[in-house]
Amino acid sequence: MRYGGIEAGGTKWVCAVAEQPGQPLEIVRFPTTAPAETVARAARFFTEQGPIDVLGVGAFGPVDIHRDSPTWGTITTTPKPGWGDTDLTGALTSALGVPIALDTDVNAAALGEWRWGAATGLDTFFYITVGTGIGGGAVTGGRILHGLLHPEFGHMRIPHDRARDPFDGICPYHGDCLEGLASGESIRRRWGRPGPELSDPAVWELEAEYLALALVNVICMLSPQRIIIGGGVAKQSALLPLARRRVRELLAGYLRAPELTDPDAAEGYIVVPRLGDRAGVIGAIQLAYEAQEAAASSSGLSGRAGG
Amino acid sequence: MRYGGIEAGGTKWVCAVAEQPGQPLEIVRFPTTAPAETVARAARFFTEQGPIDVLGVGAFGPVDIHRDSPTWGTITTTPKPGWGDTDLTGALTSALGVPIALDTDVNAAALGEWRWGAATGLDTFFYITVGTGIGGGAVTGGRILHGLLHPEFGHMRIPHDRARDPFDGICPYHGDCLEGLASGESIRRRWGRPGPELSDPAVWELEAEYLALALVNVICMLSPQRIIIGGGVAKQSALLPLARRRVRELLAGYLRAPELTDPDAAEGYIVVPRLGDRAGVIGAIQLAYEAQEAAASSSGLSGRAGG
């Protein structure tokens, strides 16, 4: 079997092929441009690499991931220009003609880290990406969390102290939701330059504040055994130590667990992805692999064009 | 088999016996006073009702529900006077000598509603109680959510507009966390009288605002298929319609599902418990029943004194 995987992010796509899960043979990255162009570029990569049998896709959202829905595989209300109501899996099926297993990009990354990275052996954890946008995926009780739609972690509401940060936030739907205040794009627009060019400690203290408020809410709602934070913004070396400290301060000893009260234990609690930038695409391959394995024992996998 | 159930809440305890899950035969309610006195009162009820074989307990928290922990069954950092570091299951085992199945009060209520109430057949939903305090429990992917500790929903942070509501909040750990701003006790202290005596629409509009912010965060993090809101405060008939409307306004059409965009569908999405005030105790009986069923096929159930 040859597996294909696509981390179909809102900023970039990462494509890979593999013959074994966890071991991508070839990886390519390119920017997310218009839908048809981006899909064509992915299709060209897979064609060049030789045929694949099954494709796993982790897509940016909101995306319809309910297999029995008539709009399965469609990216719906994204503010990303040109991508609203895009039939992603339809386009990929037309281009590649293989069955597709689909989840969100962050759920795919969570799956990658669960099987091969920083979350192996855990039962309940949360994966966050803080990049151009903010997203989150979860495994709870040993299963990827779906529910009514799928988590849209970036759009939670957190306290916004306008005396400290008068910036209105950039989310076109919600203004100062988490993504509106703390995404890489919000950093760029608040401070006038992208994060990697900003060394003022106030920038990263504010970012850590918002991130810590969001993490406290994850902890209060999901009680994860670990939190993994990926994405470009999380690469700022100052950020995670500041965020860990603020989480501890904000929880104020109310929840008794070394992970939440002891600075050393917190270093193993709020962590970066062990798979780094490859978490999403390795997770996408894993989606393909696990769907194929499920299909081998029943008939759980079928492409829109028939699997 | 005779099952006992206790909803061991921070304000009141509800005890019941049953010979069939879902069908409590006798129910008693009494206020939560000092630990020894409250446990003795529960023990007296079960003794009067005739012997039980197994006891299910849904306890207020934070409580250690990890069976393999040396402090299993202990209520830990509660600000409730006299209850900090109380070995609840130890006391109940001493008094009753039967095996105990334990979860949080809100997880027990969620279990009750899942098997017998407003959440039957669902895979992923959230149960909230808004009473003296605020708590939440969840079922995700067909399993009760536990994780590192257990959800402590009441302590999430939400936006607090001090121009509209200068009240500081009452949580001794966090001040203006959700519970600090929106619990029944916070209503009583902000307005000087308990909720049932307050008819000013501004009271319930503010309460609906906080509740809606919390619900938006649940929806963004867990994507539940339904949200059940119990507890005394939620009985205010004005509250749920206001909260449903604010959830819809706050989400602003970003998440496409009738439950989140259509007022009629929302009435079936954010609902009261079908079991009413009995959700917790019916859930506690269910804990006992399911632990007993599991024990019948393996040896999954054992009291601290031996089961």
Side-chain angles (χ1 to χ4, degrees):
Chain A
M1 294 293 296
R2 283 175 63 86
Y3 309 98
I6 303 177
E7 179 193 346
T11 305
K12 66 175 190 309
W13 280 30
V14 186
C15 302
V17 292
E19 291 176 356
Q20 300 292 332
Q23 297 173 30
L25 297 170
E26 197 72 39
I27 298 185
V28 69
R29 292 164 198 273
F30 47 86
T32 311
T33 57
E37 184 184 18
T38 315
V39 167
R41 193 152 173 187
R44 198 157 66 238
F45 167 76
F46 289 113
T47 306
E48 286 166 5
Q49 294 295 317
I52 54 171
D53 300 291
V54 51
L55 177 66
V57 178
F60 75 103
V63 54
D64 185 346
I65 55 172
H66 287 296
R67 192 62 195 228
D68 54 357
S69 160
T71 52
W72 175 74
T74 297
I75 290 173
T76 59
T77 50
T78 178
K80 191 172 172 64
W83 281 86
D85 292 299
T86 291
D87 179 3
L88 178 62
T89 51
L92 287 167
T93 300
S94 297
L96 293 166
V98 296
I100 293 175
L102 172 74
D103 210 322
T104 64
D105 50 359
V106 276
N107 272 343
L111 177 62
E113 288 290 319
W114 193 22
R115 300 296 190 219
W116 305 101
T120 50
L122 298 185
D123 183 73
T124 298
F125 70 95
F126 207 76
Y127 179 95
I128 296 169
T129 179
V130 186
T132 311
I134 295 182
V139 168
T140 57
R143 295 177 63 178
I144 294 179
L145 178 62
H146 290 125
L148 179 70
L149 299 165
H150 56 70
E152 272 290 344
F153 175 73
H155 296 273
M156 78 156 71
R157 300 305 218 283
I158 54 169
H160 174 197
D161 177 356
R162 287 180 180 266
R164 178 179 179 183
D165 175 28
F167 185 66
D168 283 333
I170 62 159
C171 175
Y173 286 90
H174 311 121
D176 64 350
C177 63
L178 174 63
E179 181 169 290
L181 290 174
S183 62
E185 180 61 14
S186 79
I187 293 173
R188 193 184 67 76
R189 283 167 56 182
R190 179 190 290 106
W191 304 99
R193 277 179 298 157
E197 296 177 20
L198 296 162
S199 56
D200 181 344
V203 171
W204 301 107
E205 277 162 24
L206 184 67
E207 181 68 11
E209 179 74 19
Y210 292 137
L211 191 53
L213 286 162
L215 296 180
V216 161
N217 287 356
V218 170
I219 292 165
C220 287
M221 212 168 318
L222 266 168
S223 198
Q225 295 163 315
R226 190 165 293 151
I227 298 173
I228 304 171
I229 308 184
V233 174
K235 287 182 184 169
Q236 277 293 328
S237 60
L239 185 61
L240 256 56
L242 288 170
R244 290 187 194 107
R245 195 191 67 207
R246 276 306 282 156
V247 166
R248 196 164 63 247
E249 291 169 356
L250 286 165
L251 288 174
Y254 179 67
L255 296 175
R256 248 189 229 166
E259 291 86 343
L260 305 176
T261 55
D262 170 18
D264 291 336
E267 284 188 32
Y269 184 66
I270 297 171
V271 303
V272 294
R274 198 183 298 160
L275 303 178
D277 286 341
R278 306 189 309 156
V281 76
I282 288 175
I285 289 167
Q286 191 72 24
L287 282 172
Y289 170 75
E290 296 190 7
Q292 183 60 43
E293 290 294 293
S297 48
S298 66
S299 58
L301 179 77
S302 62
R304 224 181 215 181
Chain B
M1 294 294 296
R2 280 175 66 85
Y3 308 98
I6 304 178
E7 179 192 345
T11 304
K12 67 176 190 306
W13 279 30
V14 185
C15 303
V17 291
E19 291 177 355
Q20 299 292 332
Q23 298 173 27
L25 299 170
E26 196 72 37
I27 299 184
V28 67
R29 291 162 198 272
F30 48 85
T32 311
T33 57
E37 184 183 18
T38 316
V39 166
R41 193 153 174 185
R44 200 157 63 237
F45 167 77
F46 289 112
T47 306
E48 286 167 5
Q49 294 296 318
I52 54 171
D53 299 293
V54 51
L55 177 67
V57 179
F60 74 104
V63 54
D64 184 346
I65 55 171
H66 286 298
R67 193 61 192 228
D68 53 356
S69 161
T71 53
W72 174 74
T74 297
I75 289 172
T76 59
T77 50
T78 176
K80 191 173 173 60
W83 281 88
D85 292 301
T86 290
D87 179 3
L88 178 63
T89 51
L92 287 167
T93 300
S94 297
L96 292 167
V98 296
I100 292 174
L102 173 72
D103 211 319
T104 64
D105 49 1
V106 276
N107 273 343
L111 177 62
E113 287 290 319
W114 194 21
R115 301 299 190 216
W116 306 100
T120 50
L122 298 185
D123 184 72
T124 298
F125 70 95
F126 207 76
Y127 179 95
I128 297 169
T129 179
V130 186
T132 311
I134 295 182
V139 167
T140 57
R143 293 178 63 178
I144 294 179
L145 178 63
H146 290 125
L148 180 68
L149 298 165
H150 55 71
E152 272 290 345
F153 175 72
H155 297 272
M156 78 156 71
R157 298 306 217 283
I158 55 170
H160 175 195
D161 178 356
R162 286 178 182 268
R164 176 179 180 184
D165 175 28
F167 186 65
D168 283 334
I170 62 159
C171 176
Y173 286 89
H174 312 122
D176 64 351
C177 63
L178 174 62
E179 179 168 291
L181 290 174
S183 61
E185 181 59 15
S186 80
I187 292 173
R188 194 184 66 76
R189 284 166 56 181
R190 180 190 289 105
W191 304 99
R193 278 180 297 158
E197 297 177 20
L198 296 162
S199 56
D200 181 347
V203 172
W204 301 108
E205 276 163 23
L206 184 66
E207 180 68 13
E209 179 74 19
Y210 292 138
L211 190 54
L213 286 163
L215 296 181
V216 161
N217 287 357
V218 170
I219 291 164
C220 287
M221 213 170 315
L222 267 167
S223 199
Q225 295 163 313
R226 188 165 294 151
I227 298 173
I228 303 171
I229 309 184
V233 174
K235 288 182 184 169
Q236 278 292 330
S237 59
L239 186 60
L240 256 59
L242 287 170
R244 289 188 195 108
R245 194 191 68 205
R246 276 306 281 155
V247 166
R248 196 164 63 247
E249 289 169 359
L250 286 165
L251 288 174
Y254 179 66
L255 297 175
R256 247 189 232 168
E259 292 85 342
L260 306 176
T261 55
D262 169 18
D264 291 334
E267 284 188 33
Y269 184 65
I270 297 172
V271 302
V272 294
R274 198 183 299 162
L275 303 176
D277 286 342
R278 306 189 309 157
V281 77
I282 288 175
I285 289 167
Q286 192 71 25
L287 283 172
Y289 170 75
E290 296 190 6
Q292 182 60 41
E293 292 292 295
S297 49
S298 67
S299 58
L301 178 78
S302 62
R304 224 181 217 180

